[in-house]
Each structure stands twice: as structure tokens, then as C-alpha cells.
Amino acid sequence: MSLPHAILTALLEKPSSGLELTRRFDRSIGYFWSATHQQIYRELGKLEAEGLIRALPAEQPVRGQKKSYEVLPAGRAELARWTAAAQDPKPHRDTLLLRLRAAAMVGTAGLEADLRRHLDLHRQQLAEYEKIEQRDFPPGKDSAQDRLQHLVLRAGIDLETFWTQWLEHALAEFAELPGRDAK
Amino acid sequence: MSLPHAILTALLEKPSSGLELTRRFDRSIGYFWSATHQQIYRELGKLEAEGLIRALPAEQPVRGQKKSYEVLPAGRAELARWTAAAQDPKPHRDTLLLRLRAAAMVGTAGLEADLRRHLDLHRQQLAEYEKIEQRDFPPGKDSAQDRLQHLVLRAGIDLETFWTQWLEHALAEFAELPGRDAK
DNA sequence: CCTTGTTGTGCAACTAGTTGCATAAACCGT
DNA sequence: ACGGTTTATGCAACTAGTTGCACAACAAGG
């Protein structure tokens, strides 16, 4: 149950409308907790009903009209509670590793191309993160807030670095596989 | 839609009953694609209905009686198809990173203890993987199959290594945070 | 024999996330 | 003033995964 808390965090960083949230999920929070606009609107409704956030404008809340939300004290409290509460790590699910293991049984035919594609995607993501680091964390910005956010970004950078390296290694391994599409 | 394929892979490695599969998911495949026994039984039923696997024994299939399955040619074909098909990487979802980002807004109070706990869990997992590597991949075992499976295990080892290092770094960062539970 | 624990199988209900589509206002060219 | 595109909000149906529980067979101990 993390989506509501992701939204609370985003709204604390900056009160926003549903669409603005959606965009920010695409660029930032979504890097480790993605969500579609449908999910976000649904959740905004629930959070408002629970009294954790409220709609900002007194303007008529018509369809097709922007509606911004801000976090209420109860919402902040709930977020603090959730942040501090112990949580077990959820097991990862990685399709690519699964496919590799399947390939050990049914052959690697066709897999290599997709590995290359993934390598490319991870390189792009890495470049993206590094641009963000340059832009948002110049030396000197090191308030507690900055340090924590930077820490999160570092995790992203290091994870992408790991994947690019692993994929390069995997492709090298593929290149020297006995029969190429070994049974 | 990966669970059926995870099961096909496991059954190709060794025909098994539902419970045996469950156990092997806990020890091995489940490290990157976890599943509960309920999921597995449900999926075995579907796979059998689709003609991708079949029950082995001619013995009476009573409740509380072991029922083993093996993969049929159609199942192997489907697995090969799926393995080769291009698939976009699903975005990760990481609660811990989310909580850290929330902590940047509502304070780090209480979070440190759970970070330590996670560090411990990752260290355990790493030790587990390294034991498996020692046991299952002694130098010399390097058929195509072994190499591919080893590659997957390496990903697990390197990921856990990454997480332990990142968590150590995060905890060090926490230690020198200005007010300790910075707003 | 009879209860208690373990092994093995499975259904049902629920939760979270995804996909497809609907609706309406605003802006923009013609 | 009209039709097309973009911005913005949202509902409904579906899929995958989780949780809670039920039930049968068998083995072990009193």
C-alpha cells in the first residue's frame, strides 16, 4: 500500500493537480514508484475522502477544470507514521532474469537482441539520471533534505550502472557460448 | 504474464508436484520470481487445461495425493517463444527508496532502525547466494546451461552487494545529518 | 483406536495495478 | 462558427498477486 504515500510525498514537495502529479510521476517519483493517471485520480479521491488531503481552489470543480490538492496535517502525520514503520522488503520480480533461466532450458535463440535493447534502455536511463544529478545537486546543496533526495538518486544511478555492466557481461558470455543457440 | 513461464522453466528443469514446485520457488526461482503455493496450483491447473503440461502418474488423483507434472512439447514451444519475444522492462517499485524520499519531507525519525534491518536481510541473502555459488558452480562446470544459470546467480549476488553497500552509505549519511530528525 | 501434527492440494475473496474508453473544457487554425 | 488537437478528469472492466481458510491423507505418540 504505497501509492497513497507516494502521492502524499509528491504533494508535500509541491501541491499539484492530478495531471501535474502524473507528469511528476513520469519524471521523478515514478523512477521507483510508477503510476498511471487513472490510478492517481482514483487515489486522490480516496485520500480526499479520508481527510488526508484537500482540494485547493474555491473555483467551481467542473470536469476539464484543474483541481489542485494540498496535504492536510492528518496526511503529513500518516506519511510520517508510514515512513517510520518497519516493512519487509518485497521480493523483486525480474522478467529478464527469468527469461535467461528459461533460455538455459530452451535455448538462447532470439534473446540476444532483446538483451541489447535493454542495455540501450538502461544506458539512456543512466544518462537521464546523471543529467538530473548535475542539474539538481551541484556541490554545496547539502541540507538534510538535499542529502536524502540525493541518496535516492544515487541508488537509481548505481542500479542502472549495475544493469548496464551486467548486461555487457551477459552479452560477452553469449558471444562465446558453445553452439550459439545451445539446447 | 510470467508466472506460467516461470513454472514451465521449473518443470523443464525437473518434473515436480505442486508442493515441490513451491519449495523450489522458495529456494531458487523465487529469488527473482516469487509465488505462493496457491498461485502455483491455480496456474498448474490452467497450464494443464491449455495442454502445455500434463500430470504424470496414472495413480488415482485424490486430494492429499501427490500429483506430478511434466512439460509437453507445446509447453516447451511456448516457453521458447516467450523467451525470445521482446519485452519492455517493467519499472521497479521500491518502497524503501520511496520512504527515504518521504523522509526528506517529514523527517527521518524511526527510519534508521528499519534501514539497519534491511541491511541485515540483504547481507543474509548475499551469504545465501554465495553459498549456492560455491555449491552449484565449482570451476569447470561451464556448459552453456551452467553458464547461463551462473549468470543469473551473479545478477543476484551483485544486486545484493549493491544494496548492502548502498544501505551502509545511507546509514553513514544518516549519522552526520544536521538535526538528526530533520524536518 | 484416537487425537495431533505434517504434508499436500485447492477454493474464494480481496487488493493493487493495468487497459480501454468517455467526457469536457480550452486553445488554434481556417 | 466550425472542426481538430491538447489538456484535464474520471469510470469500468480486467488481470495478476495476496490472504485466509478448508480439507484430505498419512504418520507418530499416548
Side-chain angles (χ1 to χ4, degrees):
Chain A
M1 271 263 316
S2 306
L3 178 58
H5 302 98
I7 290 178
L8 286 172
T9 305
L11 285 181
L12 274 177
E13 287 170 7
K14 182 173 176 339
S16 311
S17 69
L19 194 70
E20 281 163 354
L21 274 180
T22 304
R23 290 210 227 282
R24 288 170 55 210
F25 266 74
D26 285 344
R27 281 186 285 102
S28 142
I29 303 219
Y31 290 146
F32 47 89
W33 204 276
S34 64
T36 61
H37 75 270
Q38 292 92 331
Q39 264 180 293
I40 289 171
Y41 283 114
R42 199 199 302 165
E43 209 60 45
L44 282 171
K46 281 191 207 165
L47 287 170
E48 192 178 21
E50 289 166 15
L52 302 185
I53 63 174
R54 72 160 177 199
L56 270 183
E59 298 154 42
Q60 69 284 20
V62 202
R63 256 182 169 242
Q65 202 76 12
K66 256 198 204 179
K67 201 164 58 173
S68 279
Y69 293 90
E70 68 174 352
V71 178
L72 293 171
R76 176 181 281 267
E78 165 56 24
L79 185 60
R81 188 204 60 71
W82 177 81
T83 305
Q87 265 181 260
D88 286 329
K90 289 254 177 267
H92 322 100
R93 293 229 157 95
D94 195 303
T95 321
L96 206 53
L97 292 178
L98 196 55
R99 284 164 73 197
L100 215 66
R101 180 131 172 189
M105 300 312 293
V106 299
T108 55
L111 185 48
E112 198 172 332
D114 208 34
L115 250 49
R116 259 182 240 292
R117 201 172 60 89
H118 278 241
L119 176 52
D120 221 58
L121 291 171
H122 284 294
R123 280 185 177 146
Q124 271 171 252
Q125 189 62 54
L126 180 54
E128 175 84 17
Y129 285 160
E130 277 170 344
K131 219 169 63 189
I132 294 176
E133 190 179 35
Q134 300 268 310
R135 191 191 59 205
D136 293 352
F137 300 98
K141 273 199 94 184
D142 60 351
S143 69
Q145 249 190 51
D146 293 325
R147 276 155 173 272
L148 288 171
Q149 287 181 358
H150 196 175
L151 211 46
V152 174
L153 182 59
R154 282 309 316 175
I157 291 176
D158 292 348
L159 271 173
E160 293 302 328
T161 304
F162 157 75
W163 280 113
T164 55
Q165 284 171 1
W166 182 83
L167 279 165
E168 280 163 10
H169 178 205
L171 283 166
E173 197 77 67
F174 265 51
E176 56 179 76
L177 228 49
R180 283 326 281 281
D181 67 349
K183 157 60 196 308
Chain B
M1 273 258 319
S2 306
L3 178 59
H5 302 99
I7 291 178
L8 287 172
T9 305
L11 285 180
L12 274 177
E13 284 169 10
K14 182 176 178 332
S16 311
S17 68
L19 194 68
E20 281 162 354
L21 274 180
T22 305
R23 290 209 226 282
R24 289 172 53 213
F25 266 74
D26 286 344
R27 279 185 287 100
S28 146
I29 304 221
Y31 290 146
F32 47 90
W33 205 274
S34 64
T36 60
H37 75 270
Q38 292 92 331
Q39 264 180 291
I40 288 171
Y41 283 116
R42 199 198 304 167
E43 208 60 46
L44 282 172
K46 281 191 207 166
L47 286 169
E48 192 180 22
E50 289 166 16
L52 302 185
I53 62 173
R54 72 163 176 196
L56 268 185
E59 300 154 40
Q60 69 284 21
V62 203
R63 254 182 168 240
Q65 202 76 11
K66 258 196 207 181
K67 199 163 58 172
S68 279
Y69 293 91
E70 69 174 352
V71 178
L72 294 172
R76 176 182 281 267
E78 164 57 22
L79 186 60
R81 189 205 57 75
W82 176 81
T83 305
Q87 265 182 261
D88 286 328
K90 288 250 179 272
H92 322 102
R93 292 229 157 94
D94 194 305
T95 320
L96 207 53
L97 292 178
L98 196 54
R99 284 164 74 198
L100 215 65
R101 180 129 173 190
M105 299 312 293
V106 300
T108 55
L111 184 48
E112 197 172 333
D114 207 34
L115 249 49
R116 261 183 238 292
R117 199 170 63 87
H118 278 240
L119 176 52
D120 221 58
L121 291 170
H122 284 294
R123 281 186 177 143
Q124 270 171 254
Q125 191 60 53
L126 179 54
E128 177 83 18
Y129 285 158
E130 277 170 344
K131 219 169 64 189
I132 295 176
E133 188 178 38
Q134 300 267 310
R135 192 190 61 206
D136 293 351
F137 300 98
K141 273 200 95 184
D142 60 352
S143 69
Q145 248 188 54
D146 293 324
R147 276 155 172 270
L148 288 171
Q149 286 180 0
H150 197 173
L151 211 46
V152 174
L153 182 59
R154 282 309 318 175
I157 291 176
D158 292 348
L159 270 173
E160 293 301 329
T161 304
F162 158 74
W163 279 112
T164 55
Q165 283 171 0
W166 182 83
L167 280 164
E168 280 162 9
H169 178 204
L171 283 165
E173 197 77 68
F174 265 50
E176 54 178 78
L177 228 47
R180 282 328 280 282
D181 66 349
K183 155 55 195 315

